[in-house]
Amino acid sequence: MKWTLLMIAGLFMASCTTGSVLKQHADAPMNKLALGFSEDELLSKRPNAQLQDDGMEFRRVYLEMVDDEDIQGFVYYVDAELSLFYELIVIYKDEATREAAVNRLLGEVGFDGEEWTFEQKGDATTVRCWTFKEKIVYAACIPGTEWEDECK
């Protein structure tokens, strides 16, 4: 009985870690991803993502274009050394569509009046969100990645 409870508790903790911010604040199908996934995990869930060359040695960038009414595509940033997925950029068809998504998914602006900050349940990773043109950016402050110092 004790082992069963420990196993259930372990499975519950695993299901709560890292995925909650995208699950609560991103459009489907991104709400099935989690910032902090390994590169292999990310690519197994998004097999159409294509590696791009952005000239930055510290990260790998994947682009996935989609056929969707509101969303043109997704950009995934993976830390080159850690092989961790730490940033998601959702590209909407235009700024008006992005703004509607912001209102529906993110709510009122919090940090500095220009960004949103969320804590992922289970691992307490801080995730910052902001907009740029027709995009919403979700960046996790994972130690060792480019955003590590932005959340201190």
Side-chain angles (χ1 to χ4, degrees):
M1 178 70 167
K2 208 188 296 188
W3 288 109
T4 303
L5 290 174
L6 286 172
M7 286 177 52
I8 291 170
L11 288 171
F12 176 75
M13 290 296 289
S15 70
C16 289
T17 60
T18 69
S20 60
V21 168
L22 293 180
K23 184 174 185 179
Q24 293 176 2
H25 301 288
D27 276 314
M30 293 303 102
N31 59 15
K32 302 222 184 311
L33 295 180
L35 295 166
F37 270 3
S38 71
E39 187 170 12
D40 289 341
E41 226 174 338
L42 169 68
L43 295 175
S44 74
K45 294 185 183 303
R46 307 307 302 167
N48 294 326
Q50 300 295 311
L51 183 62
Q52 307 294 300
D53 181 6
D54 76 341
M56 302 291 200
E57 292 183 18
F58 66 89
R59 68 181 178 209
R60 286 187 285 278
V61 177
Y62 292 89
L63 174 65
E64 178 182 12
M65 300 308 290
V66 295
D67 184 19
D68 184 88
E69 184 177 319
D70 295 331
I71 298 172
Q72 291 182 346
F74 306 101
V75 179
Y76 312 100
Y77 284 9
V78 174
D79 185 85
E81 188 175 317
L82 301 173
S83 294
L84 288 178
F85 167 47
Y86 69 92
E87 183 173 331
L88 167 68
I89 302 171
V90 181
I91 308 166
Y92 289 88
K93 69 177 185 178
D94 54 40
E95 288 185 40
T97 305
R98 187 234 42 224
E99 192 60 28
V102 164
N103 292 333
R104 180 172 39 82
L105 297 168
L106 301 176
E108 283 189 41
V109 175
F111 185 76
D112 283 345
E114 297 179 8
E115 295 183 6
W116 296 260
T117 301
F118 303 102
E119 296 295 322
Q120 294 195 135
K121 294 178 183 166
D123 68 1
T125 298
T126 300
V127 176
R128 289 260 174 94
C129 305
W130 63 90
T131 61
F132 177 72
K133 298 184 180 181
E134 73 283 354
K135 303 169 184 83
I136 297 177
V137 179
Y138 301 83
C141 302
I142 297 172
T145 66
E146 70 176 295
W147 298 115
E148 172 182 18
D149 294 333
E150 295 300 315
C151 296
K152 291 182 178 178

